[in-house]
Amino acid sequence: MPQRSTSGAPVPTSAGGPVTGFSKGSAVAVFVCWLLVVFDGYDLIVYGTVQSSLISETGWGLTKATAGTIGSMAFVGMMIGAIFAGRMADSWGRRRTILGCAIVFSIFTVLCAFAPNAAVFGSLRLLAGIGLGGLVPSANALVAELVPTKWRSTIATLMMSGVPIGGSIAALVGIQLIPAYGWQSMFLVAGLALVVVVPLGLKYLPETLVPVSATDKAARKAAGKTGTIKEPAGFSSLLRAPYLGVSVLFALATIATLFAWYGLGTWLPNLMQLAGYNLGSALTFALALNLGAVAGSVITAWAGTRFGPVPTAVAAAAVAAGALVVLVTGPSVTVVYLMLVLAGVGTHGTQCLIIAAVASHYPGHLRGTALGWALGTGRIGAVAAPQVGGLLLAAGLGVNSNFLAFAGAAAIAAVLLAAVGLKLKSKLSITQGASNV
């Protein structure tokens, strides 16, 4: 008989060793995590769909620059949430952390609909961001324990399809709801997570605490830590040998990737309106970006399994950079849609692959912490992007300045990930050489 958590869900055997099969209970738990990531994506991207309405209809006195600042507030919260929730998931258990984050981001997103002014709205977005940022590393850490090792990279990448699917839903819902019921209705939709998905999580998500494995114990004893094995050292373990160089490169690559992805997610509808399109058309461009990101999740899941997550991430980031540069040339509407699809494939696909690479590179007792580190520090890029986009527009540099900034970030991500690949390849060569001695 399998062990069962207090929720009644089976405890994954990966807590004590590698998973060899993919049970029905594990599949349901992974699906619930994916649904929560969908709402995470909706709650995050929803600001981009209402931004022009907030500027023109609320009377809050918002400018492009201040709208960019408010857009950054959720990402500041995400940076806090991602860093600490990853560590909490490793210490307190995945289920508690995941559900706690989902409740936090849902409640504060719904409250945004009732904000009386820009200051309160921005504060609520900050608080919602803490939950939004904490969910993804916690959910990915749990999913990594529920699936067989050979499927870990693929499932981690597919899990992240929930973010652009949520963004696509936000764009589709916005086309209908905003003209009919106002921008506030977009935030009320977030309440569905509380009444539908969180109860599913309470029923089906297992509670796990990852013990230090026999392999990790042996490695730590070899490093001189004999005697009683203490709890994992947390972030300090990531910032010393053998993880320091790769941890820094993963963080920098995530900063660059999230700058491009969330910069587009925040500003694209407004950029397209500035380019002369109406709100409905502008939201269809956002839909193209998010559908491209959904496709990117599937494409990169396959390619990452076949060619490895890091080489595939390099290619995806380069595709995104190239597509965004093409937008600057003033192509036809058809080409604009195609380039936005490719930008979605490349930017979000790169981030999915980074998560898959991190989940595979670090040992079990550091996995949640490592994901929190990469995604938490990476939010620096997400925080900066709305600000930079707004400042470039406020300075009169035009729509193309945004596309060039996001293209440059994607190109930098490709270079950094190429460095990750070289470092991992060098490490593998050293390990194989030592084993042959």
Side-chain angles (χ1 to χ4, degrees):
M1 288 289 290
Q3 280 188 300
R4 293 190 173 270
S5 70
T6 56
S7 67
V11 176
T13 56
S14 57
V19 174
T20 56
F22 199 6
S23 69
K24 180 180 178 181
S26 295
V28 172
V30 169
F31 178 68
V32 172
C33 285
W34 178 82
L35 284 177
L36 288 170
V37 174
V38 170
F39 275 96
D40 188 290
Y42 177 93
D43 288 13
L44 185 61
I45 301 298
V46 68
Y47 178 75
T49 68
V50 303
Q51 188 182 60
S52 60
S53 299
L54 294 176
I55 293 172
S56 60
E57 298 175 12
T58 58
W60 292 348
L62 292 176
T63 64
K64 293 180 178 64
T66 54
T69 300
I70 288 178
S72 294
M73 297 303 291
F75 299 119
V76 173
M78 290 183 77
M79 181 166 57
I80 298 169
I83 290 175
F84 288 102
R87 187 72 197 111
M88 285 162 51
D90 281 343
S91 300
W92 298 349
R94 319 301 197 201
R95 178 175 179 267
R96 297 173 190 171
T97 306
I98 291 168
L99 294 176
C101 289
I103 291 168
V104 166
F105 76 64
S106 297
I107 289 174
F108 287 111
T109 298
V110 169
L111 289 177
C112 285
F114 305 99
N117 53 54
V120 172
F121 183 90
S123 299
L124 291 171
R125 289 295 287 168
L126 172 67
L127 294 170
I130 293 174
L132 292 169
L135 177 78
V136 172
S138 306
N140 274 284
L142 175 61
V143 168
E145 294 166 14
L146 294 174
V147 302
T149 302
K150 68 176 181 178
W151 290 105
R152 186 173 289 160
S153 177
T154 301
I155 298 298
T157 307
L158 291 175
M159 267 280 294
M160 293 307 296
S161 69
V163 174
I165 286 175
S168 300
I169 293 171
L172 285 170
V173 170
I175 292 172
Q176 302 297 322
L177 287 189
I178 295 175
Y181 302 105
W183 62 267
Q184 295 92 338
S185 60
M186 295 294 291
F187 293 96
L188 296 177
V189 173
L192 290 174
L194 278 177
V195 299
V196 178
V197 188
V198 169
L200 290 175
L202 286 168
K203 183 174 182 180
Y204 293 111
L205 294 186
E207 183 64 278
T208 64
L209 286 170
V210 180
V212 180
S213 68
T215 303
D216 295 331
K217 288 180 181 179
R220 293 171 71 182
K221 285 183 178 180
K225 294 188 177 181
T226 56
T228 303
I229 301 297
K230 298 180 180 179
E231 286 296 306
F235 293 114
S236 62
S237 297
L238 304 179
L239 299 177
R240 59 172 181 255
Y243 303 114
L244 173 60
V246 172
S247 294
V248 171
L249 287 171
F250 273 135
L252 292 175
T254 308
I255 289 171
T257 303
L258 293 186
F259 182 94
W261 167 240
Y262 286 122
L264 286 168
T266 301
W267 278 108
L268 184 61
N270 198 269
L271 291 174
M272 302 317 287
Q273 284 185 278
L274 291 173
Y277 299 93
N278 61 35
L279 175 62
S281 298
L283 289 175
T284 62
F285 286 115
L287 180 60
L289 176 73
N290 282 283
L291 289 177
V294 175
S297 300
V298 177
I299 294 167
T300 55
W302 169 81
T305 301
R306 183 175 176 84
F307 304 109
V310 175
T312 308
V314 173
V319 166
L324 291 170
V325 168
V326 171
L327 291 177
V328 177
T329 65
S332 66
V333 174
T334 302
V335 174
V336 170
Y337 277 113
L338 177 60
M339 291 303 105
L340 287 173
V341 168
L342 289 177
V345 170
T347 52
H348 186 70
T350 301
Q351 187 53 45
C352 291
L353 290 160
I354 291 174
I355 290 172
V358 171
S360 300
H361 177 68
Y362 294 87
H365 74 282
L366 285 176
R367 188 173 294 123
T369 305
L371 287 164
W373 158 260
L375 289 169
T377 56
R379 299 301 171 187
I380 294 171
V383 170
Q387 294 267 34
V388 171
L391 291 172
L392 290 173
L393 292 175
L397 296 178
V399 170
N400 285 343
S401 65
N402 272 243
F403 290 134
L404 286 174
F406 303 145
I412 291 170
V415 173
L416 290 167
L417 288 165
V420 169
L422 291 173
K423 195 166 188 66
L424 292 179
K425 186 176 181 181
S426 173
K427 180 181 176 182
L428 180 62
S429 298
I430 293 172
T431 304
Q432 289 176 338
S435 65
N436 293 330
V437 173

